[in-house]
Amino acid sequence: MVTITAREYFEAASAAQRHIDGRLAAIRAMREREGARAQSYEAIGRGGGASDPMRATDARIDAEARARSELAEYERAVEDARAVCAGVRAANPNHPSWGDVLELRYLDLYEWDRIGRALGVTGSGARQAHRQALEWVDSVGLAAAREGCGQAALF
């Protein structure tokens, strides 16, 4: 049985979130290009050869269908990581920023200074909370962290 560290787990979730964001950005770009083509004001009969005005729409619809099935696995990984962050919060009421720093860093993709501002601490304070949170998750294990070490049921 291969055991991964909390850092490896959250880095994989972060990679999944980046992949989701990239695919959604590509689809948004396709929609924008499709909209720009639909608003073209070229004169009738101008241009060379036949064109299908629905080709861009068809390509986008196909891309969205592929993305839905492809992204489902990535979305499950991100949602599981959010559940672990919620468990970290529930199990550590004396360290309320631990779950937040993990979620902001790995799932919301914030940089350290932005995390610090969001939590009302310095960037180094955010990094310290991050390190402590990862150490705690490693000490109890991902499954226990996800469940809030039994504390989640109390809240």
Side-chain angles (χ1 to χ4, degrees):
M1 180 171 164
V2 176
T3 304
I4 64 169
T5 66
R7 181 181 300 273
E8 292 167 334
Y9 170 79
F10 281 108
E11 285 177 353
S14 183
Q17 184 61 59
R18 283 184 169 84
H19 185 81
I20 291 167
D21 291 349
R23 290 289 279 162
L24 294 177
I27 290 170
R28 274 192 306 276
M30 291 175 84
R31 281 187 181 143
E32 289 169 9
R33 284 192 305 273
E34 175 186 333
R37 287 187 182 114
Q39 295 175 10
S40 176
Y41 296 103
E42 291 192 27
I44 296 175
R46 206 172 138 193
S51 68
D52 180 1
M54 294 301 293
R55 187 175 61 218
T57 301
D58 293 341
R60 183 207 21 102
I61 290 170
D62 291 344
E64 286 176 343
R66 284 190 309 274
R68 269 192 298 278
S69 63
E70 176 187 326
L71 294 181
E73 181 179 337
Y74 293 111
E75 289 167 345
R76 281 190 297 276
V78 170
E79 288 309 309
D80 186 67
R82 287 194 194 281
V84 172
C85 293
V88 170
R89 280 186 210 94
N92 294 284
N94 294 331
H95 302 286
S97 66
W98 285 5
D100 294 339
V101 74
L102 293 173
E103 191 162 355
L104 292 171
R105 179 68 177 169
Y106 293 107
L107 306 175
D108 295 337
L109 309 175
Y110 282 20
E111 296 297 325
W112 289 116
D113 289 340
R114 188 172 178 195
I115 295 170
R117 286 192 304 275
L119 299 177
V121 299
T122 64
S124 63
R127 283 189 289 280
Q128 180 180 354
H130 170 260
R131 185 176 53 256
Q132 292 169 331
L134 290 177
E135 288 172 2
W136 181 82
V137 172
D138 281 337
S139 73
V140 301
L142 282 166
R146 184 179 299 105
E147 298 302 318
C149 284
Q151 298 298 312
L154 299 175
F155 295 98

